[in-house]
Amino acid sequence: MKMLSRTRNSAVRCLLLYHQQTASSKIYKRWKSNVVGFIGLGNMGIPMAKNLLKNGYQLIGYDISANRMEIFRQESHGSVQTGNTLQEVVANTEAVFTMLPECTHVLSAYSVLLESSKKNQVFIDCSTISPDTSKKVAEMVESKGCKFLGAPVSGGVVGAVNGTLTFMVGGDKDTLVAHQCLFNAMGSRTIYCGNHGSGLIAKICNNMILGMSTVAVAEAMNLGIKLGLDPKLFASVINTSSGRCWASEVNNPVPGALENNCPSNNEYKNGFKADLLLKDMNLGKTLANNSHVPIPLTDKTVEMYNALSSKGLGDKDFSVVYKYLKDL
Ligand code: NAD
C-alpha cells in the first residue's frame, strides 16, 4: 500500500513537473519510459536504486563486487537486471547514476564507462569527491556530447532507505530540471547549488560539521556516562536541550541511547564508514588549505579519525568514535 502511494505521489510530482516544463521548456523527457543505470551498489547505492525501482523505473545495476550484485538481486526479489560490465550498463540505459567511494573510483569508472556512451546521455554522480575531480569528470562527459550533474547527497543510509535524501546539485540547471523526477524518487529535497563542483563544496563543508558534532556528542556522552548518567536518560536530556543535533537525535554514537536502528545499536554496521568520513574531512582540509582558511576543529577531528582508522575501525560506521574514546 505504502509502495503504491509512493509511486502515485511520484507520478503526480512528475505530472506537475511536466506541466511546469512544457510551459517553460521543450527539454522534458518522459523518464518513466526510460531505463536507468545505477553503478555502485554499496550501503547507499542499493537503497537508492531500490527507490528508483519502487517508483516505477526500470533499472540496470552494476557493482565491481559480485557479492554486492547478489545482495541487490536478492533484495529486489528478481525485479532488477544487473550488467556484466560498466559499458554494458551505459549502452542499455538513458540516464546513469554513479555512487562510488572516492575520487580514484569515480575517475577510473568514467574513463571506462564513457566508451559506450551515447550523445545526450545523462550521467549523475552522487559520490562525495573533490570539486576539482567532479569538474574533470564533467569535462570528460561533456567532451562526449553527454550531460553531467554532480549531485552528492546528505541523509545517510536511513535517508537512502526512506527516500528522504537531500541532493546538492552542481551543473547545468536545465539538465537538473529535466531529470527532477529521478531525484524525487530518491530524495525529498533537491537544492541547486550552481556550477559544476558547487554541490560538492556544500556537501564537504556539511560533512565537516557532521564529523565534529559526532565527536562532540561522543565525547560529552562518554564523560556523562562515566560519571554515572544512564545513556538513554542522558540522550533525552541532550535532545531536549541546546546540545541537540543530528548526531545526538538520529545517529547517536552510544549503543542503547536511542530506540531506533541507528548503527550504534547494530555494532556500528551498515552505516557511513569512518574511512569515508575521514576522506570527506580530508577533502575539507584540502579546500581550506588551498584557500588559506583556518579549520582548527576539523584538524583535531581528522587526527582522531586517523587514530581510530589505524586501530582497524575504519570499516565501521563513523559514530564508532564513541567506542574509540570509551576504550582509550
Ligand atoms: P560503500 O563503500 O558502501 O559502496 C561503494 C560501492 O562502490 C561498493 O559496493 C564498491 O564495490 C563499489 N565500487 C567501487 N568501485 C567501483 C567501480 N569501478 N565500479 C562499480 N562499483 C564500484 O560506500 P557508500 O556508503 O555507499 O558511499 C558511497 C558514496 O556516498 C561515498 O562517496 C560516500 O562518501 C557518500 N555518502 C555516503 C553516505 C553514507 O551514509 N554511507 C552518506 C552520504 C554520502
Side-chain angles (χ1 to χ4, degrees), residues 42-44 63-64 68 99-101 128 153 156 271-273 279:
N43 288 336
M44 295 293 285
D63 196 287
I64 209 165
R68 292 304 298 179
M99 189 51 163
L100 301 167
T128 310
V153 301
F272 180 35
K273 291 172 193 153
K279 176 252 312 180

Side-chain angles (χ1 to χ4, degrees), residues 178-200:
H179 299 86
Q180 182 67 57
C181 293
L182 291 170
F183 290 100
N184 291 347
M186 297 181 284
S188 47
R189 276 171 301 272
T190 310
I191 302 169
Y192 179 68
C193 297
N195 293 338
H196 286 309
S198 56
L200 282 153

Side-chain angles (χ1 to χ4, degrees), residues 38-48 62-66 68-69 86 98-106 108-110 112-113 125-129 152-160 165 203 207 210 246 270-273 275-277 279-280 283 315 317-318:
F38 206 106
I39 294 167
L41 301 169
N43 288 336
M44 295 293 285
I46 287 188
M48 288 170 75
Y62 177 79
D63 196 287
I64 209 165
S65 147
R68 292 304 298 179
M69 295 244 269
L86 287 168
T98 45
M99 189 51 163
L100 301 167
E102 304 199 21
C103 297
T104 49
H105 305 96
V106 176
S108 75
Y110 273 84
V112 176
L113 63 83
D125 181 42
C126 299
S127 326
T128 310
I129 56 173
V153 301
S154 182
V157 175
V158 174
L165 292 171
K203 167 67 189 170
N207 272 23
L210 175 67
W246 189 86
N270 300 331
F272 180 35
K273 291 172 193 153
D275 279 346
L276 288 180
L277 176 81
K279 176 252 312 180
D280 294 354
L283 289 172
D315 251 3
D317 181 76
F318 72 109

Side-chain angles (χ1 to χ4, degrees), residues 112-143:
V112 176
L113 63 83
L114 286 174
E115 284 170 14
S116 54
S117 62
K118 301 167 287 253
K119 200 161 186 292
N120 285 328
Q121 196 165 5
V122 176
F123 294 88
I124 302 170
D125 181 42
C126 299
S127 326
T128 310
I129 56 173
S130 75
D132 282 349
T133 306
S134 189
K135 284 183 202 159
K136 193 169 171 189
V137 175
E139 272 173 35
M140 288 162 69
V141 171
E142 285 164 1
S143 72

Side-chain angles (χ1 to χ4, degrees), residues 33-74:
S33 60
N34 289 345
V35 186
V36 180
F38 206 106
I39 294 167
L41 301 169
N43 288 336
M44 295 293 285
I46 287 188
M48 288 170 75
K50 280 168 69 180
N51 278 329
L52 284 167
L53 277 174
K54 276 187 204 164
N55 279 273
Y57 293 100
Q58 288 183 61
L59 204 91
I60 306 182
Y62 177 79
D63 196 287
I64 209 165
S65 147
N67 182 39
R68 292 304 298 179
M69 295 244 269
E70 184 51 33
I71 294 173
F72 184 48
R73 281 189 291 265
Q74 278 175 14

Side-chain angles (χ1 to χ4, degrees), residues 154-174:
S154 182
V157 175
V158 174
V161 171
N162 295 337
T164 54
L165 292 171
T166 296
F167 289 90
M168 305 161 205
V169 187
D172 172 52
K173 197 170 185 181
D174 283 345

